[in-house]
């Protein structure tokens, strides 16, 4: 189990996901996992990106749109 869980809520912001994940992966501290919570995105580009997203220490959790606080809470619970 990772010591740190980085939760990234995402709703139709697929164009920023790689940049955000890259930033976390470049940190010197490496005992982490990244949980991206797709908060019911409707943008086809975001959906396509997250459907098969595979990066080191990263997983995607899809959910219906409940808002950013619920997405963060879901990510924390999954961590």
């Amino acid at each position: 189990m990772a010591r740190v869980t980085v939760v990234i809520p995402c709703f139709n912001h697929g164009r920023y996901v790689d940049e955000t994940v890259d930033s976390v992966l470049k940190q010197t501290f490496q005992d982490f996992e990244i949980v991206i919570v797709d908060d019911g995105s409707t943008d086809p580009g975001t959906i396509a990106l997250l459907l098969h997203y595979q990066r080191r220490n990263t997983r995607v959790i899809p959910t219906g749109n409940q808002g950013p606080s619920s997405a963060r809470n879901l990510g924390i619970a999954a961590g």
Side-chain angles (χ1 to χ4, degrees):
M1 175 179 231
R3 284 188 10 191
V4 173
T5 300
V6 178
V7 178
I8 303 171
C10 180
F11 176 74
N12 292 339
H13 290 103
R15 65 185 173 271
Y16 302 115
V17 170
D18 279 328
E19 181 179 352
T20 304
V21 171
D22 284 343
S23 177
V24 177
L25 293 175
K26 290 178 184 175
Q27 301 304 306
T28 56
F29 182 82
Q30 291 293 303
D31 190 8
F32 63 83
E33 67 174 337
I34 302 169
V35 177
I36 302 169
V37 180
D38 180 13
D39 189 29
S41 292
T42 57
D43 169 59
T46 299
I47 294 168
L49 174 73
L50 295 179
L51 188 60
H52 301 289
Y53 200 76
Q54 294 183 334
R55 298 288 298 275
R56 181 172 55 89
N57 298 344
T58 303
R59 62 186 163 132
V60 176
I61 299 173
T63 186
N65 183 262
Q66 299 294 315
S69 59
S70 290
R72 284 189 290 270
N73 288 338
L74 178 62
I76 291 167

